[in-house]
Amino acid sequence: SLLYAQAHIEYDPWDWVTYRFSQHVFSISDGHEHVYFATPGGILQYNIFGRYWAHPITISQGMSDFFVYAVYYDLNTNILWASTKNGLDFSTDGGARWNHVRREDIGLRQNEQIIRIGSTSNDLYCVTSSQLLKVDRLSGFLILPYADIPSEYEVNWGSYLIKDGDYNEEILDGFI
């Protein structure tokens, strides 16, 4: 016999939170109220005004994967963007509900990941190890692969992990 327990239950965002060991920070972006950190355990959020760590954003809130390569908060549209192995995730409500753009729809090759995200007043840009993608900043769909950075606009970038690059201790000390 079949047992139907709690049939047709709809969960609201933040009904539960999944925690996972975060290890390293791959990307940082600041928003209106939070600073967002991309980690292997999801997106960590630090409340700027209250000076406390809020609950992490993980697959419990609808992200496509725990491992987040890049995070970016677009201050013009108030959309939070995250790059995972499955593609590009975005949230219009601060991380409570997520939409997904599959990696095939963005034109990513196998084993290619978005490592940096930024925006202009018109478009979203995603950087991989081999190309710059111009993406619609409201829907996440690909506009132009192998794009050039527009010279007439200034791109606001989220941070990214630098491997084997310059380590400038003065910048870090000034930030702390």
Side-chain angles (χ1 to χ4, degrees):
S1 67
L2 296 175
L3 176 63
Y4 295 102
Q6 299 180 343
H8 304 292
I9 292 240
E10 293 291 326
Y11 292 102
D12 289 325
W14 304 105
D15 276 356
W16 69 82
V17 177
T18 305
Y19 291 88
R20 187 171 176 186
F21 186 60
S22 298
Q23 291 179 319
H24 308 288
V25 173
F26 296 115
S27 174
I28 302 171
S29 183
D30 56 334
H32 295 294
E33 296 179 16
H34 293 92
V35 177
Y36 300 96
F37 299 86
T39 72
I43 298 174
L44 303 180
Q45 25 179 13
Y46 183 76
N47 187 293
I48 299 168
F49 303 111
R51 295 186 179 189
Y52 64 89
W53 290 95
H55 293 297
I57 302 170
T58 63
I59 59 172
S60 297
Q61 284 71 46
M63 290 192 66
S64 62
D65 193 60
F66 275 107
F67 203 105
V68 180
Y69 295 96
V71 66
Y72 179 70
Y73 187 87
D74 189 347
L75 293 169
N76 295 314
T77 60
N78 296 323
I79 296 177
L80 180 61
W81 295 90
S83 164
T84 68
K85 69 178 180 183
N86 299 317
L88 193 60
D89 293 0
F90 65 98
S91 173
T92 57
D93 58 2
R97 298 183 195 278
W98 288 86
N99 299 300
H100 311 287
V101 182
R102 297 179 318 145
R103 58 183 300 108
E104 296 83 16
D105 296 336
I106 306 172
L108 295 177
R109 293 184 296 274
Q110 187 176 9
N111 298 326
E112 184 178 27
Q113 302 299 336
I114 295 170
I115 57 173
R116 192 174 193 192
I117 305 171
S119 70
T120 62
S121 58
N122 296 324
D123 299 301
L124 186 78
Y125 288 90
C126 299
V127 178
T128 71
S129 58
S130 61
Q131 64 177 318
L132 175 68
L133 305 168
K134 185 177 180 181
V135 177
D136 180 66
R137 63 189 278 183
L138 298 175
S139 67
F141 290 109
L142 179 67
I143 295 175
L144 181 66
Y146 299 102
D148 293 324
I149 296 176
S151 58
E152 67 269 11
Y153 298 107
E154 183 177 326
V155 180
N156 296 317
W157 292 104
S159 73
Y160 68 105
L161 183 64
I162 298 176
K163 294 183 180 178
D164 301 327
D166 280 340
Y167 176 75
N168 194 337
E169 195 171 310
E170 293 173 8
I171 294 174
L172 185 60
D173 287 340
F175 178 75
I176 292 172

